């Protein structure tokens, strides 16, 4: 790890995350600096989650998890949002990151609630998909049966 010697660069690295051509090296550098650098670059990391690039969102979320228990309220809320609204890989990474950033108490309880909510959403989507597929199958079968009865 680069450690505290590179800490002054952390804010600039956070700002660099908006520039696609240097965003990945900036993430790597923040990871090398460690938790203190991640916390210092937090505004840029949170803004970087707004990208449409899912693979990049996953990397940002994982980096937030590397900050550990001292991530802070803003970072924790960004991970909460990723669990609630992210695509499956982002949600999964956010749940893992939340596990690394909590040490107990209310934050741990909230992380568990979000995980349960996330799993419930997955089940609801799977159930709705199965119901729609079954309904379509029944509808197609009914149409085929009706057509065969009324066709000479």
């Amino acid at each position: 790890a680069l450690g505290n010697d590179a800490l002054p660069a952390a804010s600039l690295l956070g700002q660099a995350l908006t520039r696609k051509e240097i965003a990945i090296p900036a993430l790597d550098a923040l990871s090398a600096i460690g938790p203190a650098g991640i916390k210092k670059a937090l505004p840029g990391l949170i803004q970087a989650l707004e990208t449409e690039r899912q693979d990049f969102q996953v990397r940002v979320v994982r980096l937030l998890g590397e900050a550990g228990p001292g991530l802070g309220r803003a970072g924790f809320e960004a991970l909460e949002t990723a669990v609630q609204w992210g695509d499956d890989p982002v949600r999964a990474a956010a749940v893992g990151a939340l596990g690394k950033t909590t040490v107990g108490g209310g934050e741990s309880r909230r992380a568990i609630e979000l995980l349960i909510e996330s799993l419930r959403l997955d089940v609801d989507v799977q159930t709705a998909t199965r119901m729609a597929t079954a309904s379509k199958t029944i509808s197609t079968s009914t149409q085929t049966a009706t057509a065969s009865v009324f066709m000479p």
Side-chain angles (χ1 to χ4, degrees), residues 14-129:
Q15 293 170 16
L17 296 173
T18 59
R19 297 182 50 200
K20 188 176 180 177
E21 65 278 3
I22 59 172
I24 298 296
L27 281 177
D28 292 341
L30 285 168
S31 180
I33 293 171
I38 295 167
K39 292 172 204 162
K40 197 163 184 171
L42 194 56
L45 288 163
I46 292 171
Q47 184 179 358
L49 286 173
E50 296 175 11
T51 183
E52 296 295 320
R53 296 178 15 231
Q54 184 182 76
D55 60 324
F56 187 68
Q57 289 175 328
V58 168
R59 289 187 71 158
V60 169
V61 163
R62 287 181 180 153
L63 186 65
L64 288 172
E66 288 181 32
L71 178 63
R73 174 59 41 203
F76 192 84
E77 288 174 359
L79 291 174
E80 285 181 331
T81 301
V83 169
Q84 293 170 328
W85 302 109
D87 293 326
D88 285 347
V90 177
R91 287 170 53 203
V95 167
L98 281 168
K100 293 177 181 179
T101 62
T102 59
V103 291
E107 287 184 345
S108 290
R109 194 170 21 260
R110 180 66 184 142
I112 291 168
E113 289 170 2
L114 286 168
L115 174 58
I116 291 168
E117 183 179 320
S118 173
L119 294 172
R120 187 174 296 133
L121 286 174
D122 286 345
V123 169
D124 290 346
V125 168
Q126 290 173 2
T127 302
T129 302

